[in-house]
Amino acid sequence: MLLDTPVRLGVQIQPQHATYPQIRDAVQRLEEMGVDILFNWDHFFPLFGDPDGLHFESWTMLGAWAEQTERVEFGALVNCNSYRNADLQADMARTLDHISGGRFIFGTGSGWFERDYTEYGYDFGTAGSRLNDLAEGLQRVVDRWGKLNPAPTRDIPIMIGGKGEQKTLRLVARHADIWHSFVTPDELGHKLGVIDTWAEKEGTDVSDLVVSNELQRRDQSDADALFDAGVRLFTLGWAPSEADYDVIAGWLRWRDAKNGTGSAV
């Protein structure tokens, strides 16, 4: 677990219930404010609110962000492995990496939103079968990165979301640079111990693993507890149609205080 990395703030711009100009303007303003990473999510329909409301596709949007932005890292929180051939995912990720000059993060997971599967014609399977597919897909992604010409500009960071101890955390130990979850501070120590155990069995080194967690519906005391437990990447789900930039500014001040680059919050 990497504790000496600076605290970073990632904002997940929800690609729902907003026009694309609203999303584009949010990307520009959040980069100017100093947010470290911008995320969207990989779904085809809104996750809450009007189920048939406005919604945009993830990877196409990320291509626009790669050109629009200059400094921030970006990616999906998280990509659904089921929706695209694994080798295609690798090629898309490599292309975004080049467009952005090496700022793309490959966040991925096994998928869970059944409506996406049924309406777009994917086999929903079971939670276990989707995790098995993710394990196979991740290896194919990594292998394809080693074959593409031109190669990626850097070792593209892999971010894996989830907390299941038998399959997901084993994949974290095997592949991840960043582990994202919603677990509480009290749970983190145990989960990190599980990752360490899997890393020993896999023969991998997780000493540089960055721990990521979510801030939405949490306050500063919660964030402090997560920080003390080892979290260094904090993500915040955020609605561009509401455009509450004061919330972002407050968390940026908290980040800077933790990094010793700003006044105490």
Side-chain angles (χ1 to χ4, degrees):
M1 181 176 63
L2 195 61
L3 292 177
D4 58 357
T5 187
V7 172
R8 293 188 294 166
L9 178 66
V11 175
Q12 184 185 46
I13 300 174
Q14 299 163 357
Q16 63 173 13
H17 307 311
T19 66
Y20 193 75
Q22 287 176 310
I23 294 171
R24 182 177 57 240
D25 291 347
V27 168
Q28 179 177 344
R29 183 161 177 182
L30 292 172
E31 181 175 47
E32 290 172 350
M33 290 177 69
V35 168
D36 299 293
I37 306 171
L38 296 176
F39 295 108
N40 61 16
W41 65 41
D42 188 20
H43 295 288
F44 305 132
F45 302 95
L47 297 187
F48 47 86
D50 179 359
D52 295 314
L54 300 176
H55 197 279
F56 292 98
E57 192 275 331
S58 172
W59 282 82
T60 316
M61 183 183 297
L62 294 175
W65 291 8
E67 283 285 5
Q68 179 184 347
T69 59
E70 297 180 356
R71 177 191 56 80
V72 291
E73 291 188 292
F74 65 98
L77 184 64
V78 289
N79 165 69
C80 178
N81 175 70
S82 305
Y83 300 162
R84 303 161 193 88
N85 171 280
D87 294 87
L88 174 61
Q89 293 176 50
D91 205 340
M92 294 163 70
R94 181 279 310 258
T95 300
L96 288 174
D97 167 71
H98 275 265
I99 293 171
S100 65
R103 293 182 287 116
F104 178 69
I105 294 173
F106 182 66
T108 194
S110 59
W112 61 272
F113 191 38
E114 189 170 3
R115 184 183 181 190
D116 284 348
Y117 287 80
T118 56
E119 293 218 25
Y120 277 60
Y122 299 111
D123 179 18
F124 189 55
T126 65
S129 69
R130 294 193 301 275
L131 280 165
N132 291 339
D133 290 343
L134 176 61
E136 178 189 5
L138 269 169
Q139 190 58 57
R140 287 172 58 188
V141 167
V142 172
D143 290 346
R144 180 57 57 185
W145 282 340
K147 300 174 182 177
L148 291 170
N149 184 18
T153 68
R154 64 171 180 169
D155 290 333
I156 297 175
I158 295 174
M159 180 182 199
I160 297 176
K163 65 176 184 177
E165 296 182 9
Q166 295 306 308
K167 292 185 176 182
T168 301
L169 296 188
R170 185 169 194 169
L171 292 176
V172 170
R174 186 183 300 167
H175 289 293
D177 302 285
I178 306 168
W179 168 51
H180 181 77
S181 76
F182 297 83
V183 303
T184 65
D186 292 342
E187 294 178 277
L188 271 172
H190 170 71
K191 296 294 185 182
L192 290 168
V194 172
I195 293 171
D196 286 338
T197 298
W198 280 124
E200 184 176 352
K201 292 181 179 180
E202 291 283 334
T204 56
D205 180 6
V206 293
S207 60
D208 288 342
L209 181 70
V210 174
V211 180
S212 172
N213 208 299
E214 172 64 27
L215 289 172
Q216 194 172 35
R217 292 181 291 277
R218 285 170 164 163
D219 59 21
Q220 183 183 326
S221 64
D222 297 322
D224 288 339
L226 288 167
F227 174 86
D228 291 341
V231 175
R232 291 299 180 268
L233 172 57
F234 293 82
T235 66
L236 180 64
W238 187 80
S241 58
E242 298 174 6
D244 188 351
Y245 292 99
D246 289 341
V247 171
I248 306 296
W251 283 117
L252 287 171
R253 290 192 296 271
W254 179 85
R255 176 203 67 184
D256 293 345
K258 286 297 183 190
N259 290 335
T261 59
S263 59
V265 177

